[in-house]
Amino acid sequence: MMTMEIILLALLAVLAIPVLVLLVQALVAVSTSRQPVTLIGRRPKIAVLVPAHNEAKGIAATVTLIRSQLMEEQGDCIVVVADNCSDATASSAVAAGAIVLERRDEVRRGKGYALDYGVRYLADSANGHAPDAVIFIDADCIVLPGSIDLLARMAIASQRPVQALDLMRAPRGSSLKLRIAEFAWVVKNRVRPLGFHLLGLPCQLMGTGMAFPWSLIAGAELATGHIAEDMKLGIGMAKAGVAPLFCPDACVISYFPVGDEAARAQRTRWEHGHLSMIVSEGWPLLRHGIARRDRTLIAMALDMCVPPVALLTLLVLGAFAVMLGVRIATGVHAPLAMAAAIFGALFAAVFLSWMRFGRSIVSFGDLLAALGYAFWKVPLYLKFLVSRQVEWVRAKRDAD
């Protein structure tokens, strides 16, 4: 009996690690004050790269908003990579004032290949005058005023990658499912990186709103075709000693697709990509960080190994149910007490995040109903075990 109890406690200790990481991030994010980032010095020359696949309906607005933040008379530019497009993305972007590159390759598909194509164009056309900083922005994003300048200046000042606050919003009048998804996104992309940022720790790259000094991105391995190319790039940078920084004062915003099929495809790509990185990179990175006594790598590994909140909730509830069964069957109570403590820590992390950042998105009653949202995603996680998505697939926009 004692051996079984020790094994169960050890398994629960493994589950407790991501919960405690999330709790620490939430506690710091909601309780620590910060000053807005202010950077002085010469404004760098900026190139903005926008990968776009069949984005004709929205690309002009994205280009126009980005151009309003550039100083083109000083050499800033915006480059749209129209990647395997079958619509008017290229002509719409040209009309809005962007430099447009059209890329055709039906085998090497995905955002990573498009970004690599754009970076190589910048290198080939630089003639000794490459941009100081390169910023990646997705074609469906709204870039809040001042964000481009702040990201570029921070990247140059730190000589590290810089990640903006990347928010996804549910359109007005959306279902509870989409509003819960918006809150979960806030936990993942606002609360967690902000908590680590305030502790002086790095963040993951999030796919859009990413700025790099030219010296870093010019030689980066971008054309991987990995489903989580952003997270993979950030881990690679961290291993090279230049882990990404979070810049909460710069912000990019996009909207969830409303259609069930589009939303399901988008979530599958994101979450299967994240889980694949946990499986392939999580333990090796943690082991590497411990061996080098590098708190940056350890922090990146621990952060990456926090699964999506819905999955973490399912795992914690499942563990509690199993330990309750063990308690009833054997009378052993320590595992059940530990499972209850883990559940309490998870609830505290989510509740604190909601109190500070989520009350305008969902009510407390909606938050309690999020358990249903977690169970709704069970097929997505089962699919990861039997038929995981490994290739990049663009989610259809509502206007497509």
Side-chain angles (χ1 to χ4, degrees):
M1 188 69 69
M2 183 64 69
T3 300
M4 183 191 71
E5 185 175 2
I6 292 173
I7 292 173
L8 292 176
L9 290 173
L11 292 174
L12 287 170
V14 174
L15 179 60
I17 292 173
V19 174
L20 291 176
V21 172
L22 176 60
L23 179 60
V24 168
Q25 291 171 328
L27 282 169
V28 175
V30 304
S31 63
T32 305
S33 61
R34 66 178 184 87
Q35 296 296 321
V37 175
T38 56
L39 297 172
I40 60 175
R42 180 183 65 86
R43 185 187 187 278
K45 179 182 173 183
I46 302 169
V48 179
L49 281 183
V50 181
H53 174 67
N54 289 348
E55 299 281 1
K57 290 182 171 61
I59 191 65
T62 299
V63 169
T64 299
L65 189 55
I66 292 172
R67 287 188 67 200
S68 70
Q69 300 186 44
L70 298 181
M71 300 176 66
E72 294 173 342
E73 68 279 3
Q74 295 188 20
D76 292 355
C77 66
I78 175 171
V79 178
V80 173
V81 182
D83 192 64
N84 291 296
C85 292
S86 58
D87 65 358
T89 295
S91 58
S92 297
V94 168
I99 299 168
V100 176
L101 313 177
E102 294 191 68
R103 178 181 176 273
R104 299 282 178 188
D105 190 330
E106 292 298 324
V107 177
R108 293 159 59 87
R109 299 173 60 88
K111 187 164 71 174
Y113 293 115
L115 292 173
D116 178 71
Y117 195 79
V119 169
R120 285 191 286 111
Y121 164 81
L122 291 173
D124 293 342
S125 62
N127 293 322
H129 300 285
D132 299 310
V134 178
I135 301 176
F136 297 163
I137 302 290
D138 281 356
D140 62 337
C141 285
I142 299 167
V143 186
L144 295 194
S147 295
I148 296 292
D149 181 75
L150 185 55
L151 285 171
R153 287 177 182 268
M154 189 169 175
I156 296 303
S158 65
Q159 286 299 298
R160 291 167 62 178
V162 177
Q163 173 64 58
L165 172 61
D166 171 23
L167 296 178
M168 289 282 290
R169 290 182 176 169
R172 183 171 297 179
S174 294
S175 65
L176 174 60
K177 189 186 298 180
L178 271 186
R179 289 186 285 115
I180 292 294
E182 179 181 349
F183 172 64
W185 192 268
V186 166
V187 174
K188 175 181 178 291
N189 277 17
R190 187 173 191 176
V191 176
R192 290 177 51 197
L194 179 59
F196 263 15
H197 171 70
L198 293 171
L199 289 172
L201 297 172
C203 69
Q204 308 292 338
L205 291 177
M206 302 173 190
T208 185
M210 306 181 296
F212 305 86
W214 174 251
S215 59
L216 289 183
I217 202 60
E221 184 182 4
L222 297 173
T224 63
H226 196 281
I227 191 174
E229 80 288 328
D230 48 355
M231 189 175 288
K232 187 174 181 63
L233 178 61
I235 295 300
M237 294 280 182
K239 288 179 177 178
V242 283
L245 297 172
F246 185 53
C247 182
D249 297 306
C251 183
V252 294
I253 299 171
S254 52
Y255 286 83
F256 288 105
V258 175
D260 287 343
E261 181 181 352
R264 188 180 302 111
Q266 193 175 62
R267 291 191 188 101
T268 299
R269 185 178 78 242
W270 289 337
E271 300 202 24
H272 282 199
H274 184 176
L275 294 175
S276 295
M277 287 296 294
I278 292 175
V279 171
S280 64
E281 298 280 354
W283 169 244
L285 184 64
L286 181 60
R287 185 177 58 198
H288 188 53
I290 293 173
R292 290 173 51 176
R293 299 182 181 179
D294 187 330
R295 74 172 197 145
T296 294
L297 292 184
I298 294 172
M300 289 283 285
L302 291 174
D303 181 67
M304 182 175 63
C305 289
V306 178
V309 173
L311 176 57
L312 188 57
T313 300
L314 291 172
L315 293 174
V316 170
L317 288 175
F320 183 84
V322 169
M323 299 311 151
L324 179 60
V326 170
R327 172 70 177 84
I328 294 171
T330 67
V332 174
H333 65 274
L336 179 60
M338 187 171 179
I342 293 172
F343 178 81
L346 176 61
F347 179 82
V350 174
F351 180 75
L352 289 170
S353 301
W354 173 78
M355 282 288 292
R356 177 71 180 273
F357 301 106
R359 286 189 289 179
S360 63
I361 303 171
V362 291
S363 67
F364 184 69
D366 292 338
L367 189 64
L368 296 179
L371 287 177
Y373 172 78
F375 282 103
W376 172 78
K377 295 177 75 173
V378 167
L380 184 153
Y381 300 128
L382 291 177
K383 185 178 179 182
F384 175 79
L385 297 176
V386 298
S387 180
R388 73 182 63 171
Q389 183 173 325
V390 297
E391 295 181 347
W392 184 90
V393 178
R394 171 188 177 270
K396 291 184 178 180
R397 311 291 180 220
D398 302 320
D400 287 357

